[in-house]
Amino acid sequence: LVREIIVYGRTNAVNNIAKVIEGRINERRVWISVEQADPTITAVAVQTRTSGGGSDIDLAAEIDKQIALKLVR
């Protein structure tokens, strides 16, 4: 974990709060955004970047899958 940020009012929705965490995995920078889409639904967005600045879609998909598996338990 490198940094944790709470973003208030990112969109026009009232009380829209997103929590963003930034970290590093295998020399890749990772950002995970978590926000409430609905009272019963949580939206998660994962973004990864290589040291050269390119995206690493495979790593982002793996992180997204691991989050989903943890939430099911």
Side-chain angles (χ1 to χ4, degrees):
L1 178 65
V2 174
R3 184 173 30 176
E4 187 174 338
I5 305 165
I6 298 176
V7 181
Y8 296 95
R10 270 185 14 180
T11 65
N12 292 332
V14 176
N15 295 329
N16 188 15
I17 300 172
K19 189 167 208 173
V20 179
I21 55 173
E22 180 182 346
R24 292 180 92 67
I25 299 175
N26 296 334
E27 301 300 318
R28 307 285 200 264
R29 293 182 70 185
V30 178
W31 293 271
I32 301 172
S33 172
V34 181
E35 62 184 303
Q36 180 179 343
D38 194 54
T40 59
I41 299 172
T42 301
V44 177
V46 179
Q47 183 180 35
T48 57
R49 296 284 178 205
T50 65
S51 58
S55 62
D56 188 341
I57 296 171
D58 293 333
L59 179 59
E62 180 63 27
I63 293 168
D64 189 42
K65 181 174 74 173
Q66 292 297 325
I67 291 170
L69 291 173
K70 294 286 184 180
L71 289 175
V72 170
R73 290 190 203 180

